[in-house]
Amino acid sequence: MNIKVSASILSSDLSQIGTETARADAAGADWIHFDVMDGHFVENISYGAPVQKTLSKRYFVDTHLMVSHPHTQIGLFADSGSDMISFHIESESDADHTVNKIHRAGLMAGIALKPSTPAESVFPYMEKIEMILVMTVEPGYGGQGFLNYTLPKIREIRKRAEEVNPNLMIEVDGGITGETAPLVKKAGADVLVSGSYLFEAKDMYRAVQSLK
Ligand code: DX5
Ligand code: ZN
């Protein structure tokens, strides 16, 4: 399986966001993961479209919307460099409508689910989207410990994807390290988000390689 690494800049030195994204890119990260939090869907507030717009156009920008009303944000993020937009199935927006909006903007669409949300909740959309984002920690903060109980759900989604959409990517997000990466890959994940493990590594290149 072709494994991609998406570097979550939430755990980077945010006073140097341009340098930090360049560092992740040079270390071999395939995507830049941009976590958007609205202080309502999750407790934290991170950053939004104007900040994302400052990132270099060279990167594949993987936007993760942890917001209550993602459908209102699609145009803004499409205009601010997103290549992929994922939103939560637990949000208040209609999922079909939001997926259509992302596709009409010419972007790839992903649907994210929290650790305790069952796999079945995303089954109806798996044929029409490009990615499922399985949260392996509770959304809201970087640097948390991986939740092992999410592994069966990754397996379940991969099994279903083999039947209905073999090209579907499965991204995992939260607590991904050199130790947990083999577990999620074995379960069927092929896009690995990693924040603190990468940005706190002495050698980021080696850290990226260890995930792959
Ligand atoms: C958490 C975010 C994650 C987070 C991952 O709500 O969605 O992307 O930054 O950070 P680590 O890899 O440190 O768990
Ligand atoms: Zn994320």
Side-chain angles (χ1 to χ4, degrees):
M1 207 181 284
N2 176 25
I3 303 293
K4 288 187 177 64
V5 170
S6 192
S8 171
I9 56 170
L10 189 65
S11 301
S12 73
D13 176 356
L14 292 173
S15 71
Q16 310 289 331
I17 201 165
T19 314
E20 289 288 76
T21 46
R23 196 159 75 85
D25 180 57
D30 301 277
W31 294 357
I32 298 297
H33 185 83
F34 194 81
D35 286 304
V36 182
M37 305 177 184
D38 64 354
H40 186 258
F41 184 77
V42 291
E43 185 179 46
N44 229 345
I45 298 176
S46 55
Y47 30 55
V51 175
Q52 185 182 281
K53 202 166 192 166
T54 68
L55 302 180
S56 165
K57 302 278 173 290
R58 290 191 301 115
Y59 309 137
F60 183 102
V61 179
D62 168 30
T63 306
H64 177 192
L65 297 179
M66 285 163 275
V67 306
S68 293
H69 302 285
H71 72 281
T72 64
Q73 299 296 310
I74 307 309
L76 286 167
F77 280 94
D79 290 344
S80 305
S82 294
D83 294 283
M84 159 86 78
I85 298 181
S86 300
F87 64 95
H88 274 262
I89 194 69
E90 306 89 352
S91 74
E92 289 168 39
S93 297
D94 178 79
D96 274 311
H97 173 64
T98 309
V99 167
N100 291 342
K101 260 190 133 166
I102 297 170
H103 282 160
R104 273 202 304 271
L107 310 178
M108 289 194 247
I111 298 186
L113 63 176
K114 293 185 190 181
S116 53
T117 302
E120 291 77 23
S121 65
V122 295
F123 282 0
Y125 311 101
M126 280 173 55
E127 281 162 76
K128 62 180 286 191
I129 59 177
E130 286 66 44
M131 191 170 85
I132 299 284
L133 191 174
V134 178
M135 291 296 309
T136 45
V137 298
E138 288 299 333
Y141 296 93
Q144 306 179 74
F146 179 79
L147 297 170
N148 269 296
Y149 72 80
T150 58
L151 287 168
K153 183 164 67 180
I154 300 167
R155 281 196 287 274
E156 227 182 306
I157 293 171
R158 178 51 76 197
K159 185 166 173 276
R160 177 80 174 193
E162 275 162 13
E163 292 157 16
V164 301
N165 182 0
N167 294 324
L168 186 80
M169 291 181 272
I170 300 180
E171 180 175 64
V172 284
D173 184 7
I176 303 301
T177 65
E179 272 176 33
T180 56
L183 306 175
V184 292
K185 289 190 285 186
K186 189 158 179 264
D190 55 358
V191 184
L192 275 51
V193 175
S194 186
S196 46
Y197 176 70
L198 292 186
F199 285 97
E200 288 166 17
K202 282 203 185 74
D203 182 339
M204 202 194 287
Y205 177 80
R206 280 185 61 181
V208 170
Q209 291 311 311
S210 75
L211 296 180
K212 292 200 167 195

